[in-house]
Each structure stands twice: as C-alpha cells, then as structure tokens.
Amino acid sequence: QVQLVESGGGLVQAGGSLRLSCAASGRAFSSAAMGWFLQAPGKERDFVAAISSSGGITYYGDSVKGRFTISRDNAKNTVYLQMNSLKPEDTAVYYCAARSLRSGSLYYTGTYDYWGQGTQVTVSS
C-alpha cells in the first residue's frame, strides 16, 4: 500500500518556476515507478513525466521536455517535479501516481496503482 500527498502548487506568472513534491508513505515506494499527470478542466488526465524506481530512467511528455525535470529521493520517500519556463497552458491539477503492482507503459494512467489527491497549478499570462 502506498499513500501519496502532493504539495507545492500555486499561482505563478508565465515564465516562472514551481517545484511540486509528492510524499509517499509505505515501504513499497522505493520499488515503485512514479509518475506525474495533469488534468485541465473538462479534459482527460495527461502524462507529464515518470521515473523508474531507482531514478535512473526518466520519461517526459512532449509538451514539457526541456522545461520540467522529475527526480526522486528514496531516502525521503519523495518524488519531485521541477517546472521551469511555465506557460498558461500548463495550468491544471497535477497528480502524483505510483506503479508498484501492475506492469505496462508509464505513459498511461491505467498502469498506476495509487494516486494522490492533486495540487493546483495556475500560470497567469
């Protein structure tokens, strides 16, 4: 069992930066691949980034490559999403997710076993 709590969201101007954190409870964290997804109002939940259990492999959605960086600290049971050069279209609720039981591509929501409650990111123009 893994419980996830996101933090770090807020309001920022275009071009600014935010760092999201996802704190996990449970011993399964260090063996879980982790992902970040976003969901804008009226839209589906979209892939942002993912990281392997060791942190050695990372994946990014096309719209965030070069601007966002995912990382993790297994000693702190925390995964991060550093977001730079933010754009108004990045505005959404951001969700952290863990894959510890299932297999499959980290790009898809159905692959993940556990989800956080989400944190709002708003980018003003």
Side-chain angles (χ1 to χ4, degrees):
Q1 187 82 7
V2 178
Q3 294 180 324
L4 305 172
V5 178
E6 301 97 334
S7 62
L11 173 64
V12 64
Q13 288 188 332
S17 298
L18 282 175
R19 188 176 82 154
L20 305 184
S21 299
C22 175
S25 63
R27 286 179 287 182
F29 176 80
S30 60
S31 62
M34 301 295 295
W36 286 96
F37 288 76
L38 63 82
Q39 188 166 21
K43 296 188 177 181
E44 294 184 348
R45 197 166 293 189
D46 288 335
F47 174 77
V48 175
I51 189 167
S52 63
S53 57
S54 68
I57 303 173
T58 56
Y59 310 82
Y60 294 95
D62 289 341
S63 64
V64 306
K65 283 180 182 176
R67 299 190 298 125
F68 291 10
T69 302
I70 188 171
S71 62
R72 67 189 295 162
D73 186 338
N74 284 349
K76 295 182 178 180
N77 273 20
T78 303
V79 63
Y80 304 97
L81 184 68
Q82 178 66 44
M83 306 187 294
N84 298 329
S85 301
L86 282 161
K87 305 174 181 180
E89 51 263 44
D90 295 321
T91 295
V93 177
Y94 283 71
Y95 295 91
C96 172
R99 186 193 77 177
S100 65
L101 301 174
R102 304 181 190 183
S103 60
S105 172
L106 293 174
Y107 290 87
Y108 301 114
T109 58
T111 297
Y112 294 84
D113 305 291
Y114 306 103
W115 291 85
Q117 82 290 348
T119 185
Q120 176 70 46
V121 171
T122 303
V123 185
S124 63
S125 58

